[in-house]
């Protein structure tokens, strides 16, 4: 045995060696479990009709997947899954999901939704979500048919109630105040709960 | 509020929960921003658009030929000139002064009957409906039923154009459809009274439309809208989770002991349709099946802001701008006529 190795390893150096070994073992285990995890749903992938998924943690816990409901071209609501930034409470997470809905290109093509933006969002302890909207442009009125207005409202209602079990009903405000309607037809002063029947029939 | 007493002083205490109309404002009195009027076959409506609101007093003269509209306390200001109506029911509105207290004198013609008043919010309005005492009689027919009144409401109008597509503006399309529908219904059933909430390009708030329909004693209400594309959709009001009002609650009285009719109406406002949900479903089903040509078509249930305040079986029909209008109106007329025949 060479003379150099025969010497006793000093106590601090031994500790460092153990720490290094432990780090390697944890890293290898982490890599193993990482490789076995389910891949997240790709953004924008259409989900089965009527599917209700809870917000899911995705790799790295940096985001969660939510179902965004929006008016389909042929009538009714359809839903896509989308990863949104993870938040640490239901109110913030729901606000994040709604921001994603209003920023989502497919939803933004629909009448009424395209004329509105999310101004504020609150969730009270009883499970009522308050969605405060405002016109996207001061120059343009919020326009749509009764059906389009109904679909826009339930796109928001279903996105909230189907993703967040804390949310039981939804109330709309326009520029921070109660409004009779958003686009002239549907009574916005009522409390809305989910309407799964509005999902597109295929 | 009935105004049948020779000299009646009625006080409508406008004590809105939202505080829109406050009594304790520093400057007491009423400020009227604008006065509008509408003449219908059965009544004349006067709408006072209110800037600064307060309780008001409405008095009918002993001979029944004039009304006095004044603030209960403080003065009354009118920002714009008052209109002359001269429609055979109401003659003129004049701002007058009595013991340094200004009031609006409303001159009535002989045909003027009962007067109803109520308040509407957003924006604040005081509405007076003066009934036409001698309403035109329906043409005499063996099966005539003058009590059957169909009210058609062309959606949007005036400042509110509705949707705008390559085929035109929704407000114009809705009016065209309503006029065509009235003609078709009258041709098939001349004994039915068919009224329109608007016959020209005019702005009407939803509450105003509903008040108009209810005041006309509507038996059937059909609201007409247009939509992009070719689809035809028939809507009825989504049944409320709250129980329907079974009976009219006891008349409330204000702090002076007068009937607070406005407050009473306010409490019921927006719940009138609850009593007609089943009939509206029947009407909606009949129309949906005829206009779509599908045997099992059902109306769509939705919380429609206008329909909730309609005190009659009511539907909203939305017809695609690319749809064959004439065919759709014929089916719609058939559905309305069949339904009306059933209620006679």
């Amino acid at each position: 045995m060479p003379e150099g190795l025969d010497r006793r390893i000093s106590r601090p150096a031994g500790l460092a060696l153990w720490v290094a070994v432990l780090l390697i073992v944890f890293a290898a285990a982490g890599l193993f479990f990482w490789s076995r995890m389910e891949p997240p749903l790709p953004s924008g992938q259409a989900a089965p009709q009527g599917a209700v998924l809870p917000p899911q943690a995705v790799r790295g816990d940096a985001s969660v997947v939510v179902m965004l409901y929006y008016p389909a071209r042929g009538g009714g609501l359809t839903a896509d899954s989308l990863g949104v930034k993870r938040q640490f409470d239901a109110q913030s997470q729901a606000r994040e999901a709604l921001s994603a809905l209003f920023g989502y290109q497919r939803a933004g093509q629909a009448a009424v939704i395209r004329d509105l933006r999310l101004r504020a969002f609150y969730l009270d302890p009883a499970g009522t979500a308050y969605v405060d909207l405002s016109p996207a442009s001061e120059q343009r009125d919020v326009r749509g048919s009764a059906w389009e207005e109904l679909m826009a409202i339930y796109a928001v209602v279903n996105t909230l109630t189907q993703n967040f079990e804390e949310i039981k009903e939804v109330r709309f405000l326009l520029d921070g105040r109660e409004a009779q309607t958003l686009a002239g037809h549907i009574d916005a002063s009522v409390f809305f709960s989910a309407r799964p029947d509005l999902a597109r029939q295929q | 509020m009935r105004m049948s007493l020779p000299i009646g002083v009625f006080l409508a205490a406008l004590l809105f929960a939202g505080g829109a109309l406050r009594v304790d404002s520093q400057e007491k009195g009423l400020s009227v921003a604008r006065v509008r009027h509408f003449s219908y076959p059965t009544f004349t409506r006067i709408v006072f658009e209110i800037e600064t609101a307060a309780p008001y007093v409405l008095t009918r003269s002993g001979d029944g030929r004039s009304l006095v509209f004044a603030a209960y306390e403080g003065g009354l200001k009118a920002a714009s000139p008052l209109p002359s109506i001269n429609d055979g029911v109401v003659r003129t509105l004049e701002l007058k002064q009595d013991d340094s207290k200004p009031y609006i004198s409303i001159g009535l013609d002989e045909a003027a009957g009962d007067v109803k008043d109520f308040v509407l919010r957003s924006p604040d309005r005081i509405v007076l409906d003066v009934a036409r005492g001698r309403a035109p009689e329906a043409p005499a027919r063996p099966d005539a039923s003058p009590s059957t009144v169909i009210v058609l409401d062309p959606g949007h109008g005036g400042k509110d154009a509705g949707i705008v597509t390559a085929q035109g503006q929704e407000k114009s399309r809705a009016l065209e459809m309503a006029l065509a529908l009235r003609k078709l219904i009258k041709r098939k059933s001349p004994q039915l009274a068919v009224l329109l909430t608007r016959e020209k390009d005019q702005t009407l708030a939803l509450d105003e439309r509903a008040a108009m329909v209810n005041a006309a004693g509507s038996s059937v209400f059909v609201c007409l809208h247009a939509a992009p594309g070719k689809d035809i959709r028939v809507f009825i009001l989504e049944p409320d989770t709250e129980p329907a009002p079974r009976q009219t609650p006891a008349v409330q009285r204000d702090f002076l002991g007068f009937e607070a009719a406005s407050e009473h109406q306010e409490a019921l406002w927006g719940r009138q349709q609850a009593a007609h949900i089943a009939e509206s479903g029947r009407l909606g089903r009949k129309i949906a099946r005829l206009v779509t040509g599908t045997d099992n078509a059902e109306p769509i249930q939705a919380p429609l802001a206008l329909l909730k305040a309609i005190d009659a079986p009511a539907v909203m029909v939305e017809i695609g701008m690319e749809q064959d209008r004439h065919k759709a109106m014929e089916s719609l007329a058939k559905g309305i006529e069949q339904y009306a025949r059933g209620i006679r």
Side-chain angles (χ1 to χ4, degrees), chain B residues 6-312:
Chain B
I7 301 176
V9 179
F10 295 92
L11 173 72
L14 312 180
L15 303 173
F16 282 6
L21 304 178
R22 294 165 66 95
V23 185
D24 59 349
S25 59
Q26 287 182 337
E27 193 181 323
K28 286 176 178 170
L30 275 171
S31 177
V32 178
R34 197 157 75 105
V35 181
R36 291 184 290 144
H37 63 91
F38 309 89
S39 298
Y40 301 104
T42 54
F43 67 101
T44 297
R45 165 157 298 170
I46 304 166
V47 180
F48 296 97
E49 292 183 1
I50 302 302
E51 248 171 22
T52 313
Y56 64 90
V57 182
L58 191 63
T59 319
R60 191 164 191 169
S61 65
D63 61 3
R65 299 296 295 274
S66 67
L67 294 169
V68 169
F69 176 73
Y72 174 65
E73 210 173 352
L76 183 147
K77 282 187 287 184
S80 59
L82 300 173
S84 285
I85 300 176
N86 286 320
D87 63 352
V89 177
V90 178
R91 277 183 283 111
T92 52
L93 276 73
E94 292 172 89
L95 190 61
K96 292 185 174 174
Q97 193 97 2
D98 183 14
D99 296 337
S100 75
K101 192 175 175 185
Y103 64 92
I104 292 175
S105 171
I106 303 166
L108 302 177
D109 272 319
E110 276 182 18
D114 282 355
V115 179
K116 286 192 282 187
D117 67 306
F118 54 94
V119 295
L120 297 172
R121 286 190 290 175
S122 306
D124 296 330
R125 284 152 290 164
I126 297 169
V127 183
L128 307 186
D129 284 345
V130 185
R132 186 182 287 272
R134 287 189 283 271
E137 286 180 17
R141 277 172 61 112
D143 59 343
S145 172
S147 61
T148 306
V149 180
I150 317 287
V151 181
L152 307 176
D153 175 44
H156 307 280
K159 289 179 202 161
D160 175 13
I163 59 159
V164 181
T165 70
Q167 287 78 30
Q169 293 184 324
E170 185 182 3
K171 64 175 184 177
S172 311
R173 178 61 70 94
L175 183 56
E176 283 168 27
M177 291 192 297
L179 292 168
L181 186 55
R182 177 168 65 181
K183 201 179 278 182
L184 284 168
I185 296 171
K186 290 299 284 180
R187 192 186 301 157
K188 287 180 186 173
S189 305
Q191 76 280 9
L192 294 176
V194 185
L195 308 177
L196 266 62
T197 53
R198 69 177 177 96
E199 301 201 25
K200 58 183 182 183
D201 186 16
Q202 135 187 37
T203 306
L204 279 178
L206 296 180
D207 284 347
E208 267 178 278
R209 290 173 198 258
M212 215 180 271
V213 175
N214 296 344
S218 174
S219 321
V220 177
F221 174 72
V222 178
C223 177
L224 292 163
H225 282 259
K230 288 185 173 176
D231 290 337
I232 302 180
R233 294 188 172 96
V234 180
F235 297 88
I236 57 168
L237 187 72
E238 191 175 72
D240 199 348
T241 46
E242 286 181 59
R246 293 272 174 216
Q247 58 184 31
T248 308
V251 172
Q252 312 245 333
R253 290 181 185 276
D254 62 32
F255 56 94
L256 288 181
F258 291 109
E259 288 181 8
S262 299
E263 209 173 347
H264 179 211
Q265 289 200 353
E266 176 68 18
L268 288 177
W269 188 258
R271 301 192 65 200
Q272 294 94 325
Q273 181 59 197
H276 304 280
I277 286 292
E279 276 305 299
S280 296
R282 204 164 72 80
L283 172 66
R285 204 167 295 120
K286 188 175 279 296
I287 290 176
R289 290 174 184 182
L290 281 165
V291 295
T292 61
T294 315
D295 288 345
N296 58 354
E298 288 289 329
I300 299 160
Q301 294 185 352
L304 293 151
L306 173 57
L307 295 198
K308 68 178 187 176
I310 302 292
D311 197 5

